[in-house]
């Protein structure tokens, strides 16, 4: 089936971002087998995550995130779905938190984001007041 993609206009992008969602650029050649119109598509990222319970120690989560970060390029080579994460690992974590700002952040993730200058002081760390 032939389809045409219509990107959101700047006002629509602003509304999407104001709602706390991330607007990302997508290469249509990586998503479709034939032209769908624009050379770059604008889309809302679907942020999948692995949520750790607070029963998992801070150091364990921090070490896992550090290992993922260190190997982000290899992850993207093994599966192109990891490419956005490889491009902006800490930023993608922040986007996930911004999409769910009322959910407290695991202390290990908070530590990682603070270390990478991606922490927002308005976020809450799980287990703290």
């Amino acid at each position: 089936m032939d389809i045409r993609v219509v990107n959101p206009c700047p006002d629509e992008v602003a509304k999407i971002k104001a709602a706390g969602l991330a607007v990302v650029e997508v290469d249509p050649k990586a998503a479709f087998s034939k032209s769908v119109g624009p050379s770059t598509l604008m889309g809302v990222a679907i942020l999948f995550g692995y949520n750790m319970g607070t029963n998992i120690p801070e150091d364990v989560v921090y070490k896992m995130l550090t290992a993922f970060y260190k190997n982000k390029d290899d992850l993207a080579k093994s599966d192109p779905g990891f490419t956005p994460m490889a491009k902006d690992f800490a930023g993608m974590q922040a986007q996930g938190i911004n999409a769910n700002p009322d959910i407290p952040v695991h202390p290990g993730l908070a530590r990682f984001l603070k270390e990478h200058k991606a922490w927002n002081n308005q976020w809450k760390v799980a287990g703290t007041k």
Side-chain angles (χ1 to χ4, degrees):
M1 171 175 20
D2 290 332
I3 63 169
R4 297 308 258 178
V5 173
V6 177
N7 282 325
C9 68
D11 288 346
E12 292 168 326
V13 170
K15 287 178 184 177
I16 293 167
K17 288 181 178 180
L21 300 172
V23 178
V24 296
E25 293 184 359
V26 177
D27 177 359
K29 292 176 185 165
F32 298 96
S33 60
K34 54 186 173 179
S35 176
V36 293
S39 60
T40 301
L41 307 179
M42 302 299 291
V44 175
I46 299 173
L47 302 169
F48 294 99
Y50 183 74
N51 300 309
M52 299 295 255
T54 54
N55 59 319
I56 307 299
E58 176 183 331
D59 282 348
V60 171
V61 172
Y62 175 80
K63 287 176 185 176
M64 288 176 63
L65 287 163
T66 301
F68 291 145
Y69 179 73
K70 181 180 176 184
N71 294 289
K72 64 186 179 358
D73 294 327
D74 289 334
L75 287 169
K77 287 177 190 170
S78 70
D79 185 329
F82 288 116
T83 301
M85 181 190 70
K87 287 182 179 178
D88 186 8
F89 189 88
M92 194 162 195
Q93 309 307 309
Q95 289 172 11
I97 297 167
N98 283 330
N100 301 285
D102 296 329
I103 298 173
V105 179
H106 191 284
L109 176 56
R111 178 177 162 194
F112 180 87
L113 292 176
K114 287 174 184 178
E115 184 177 283
H116 289 269
K117 310 284 189 259
W119 180 253
N120 180 333
N121 286 328
Q122 294 180 343
W123 298 331
K124 292 182 181 179
V125 179
T128 63
K129 294 182 182 192

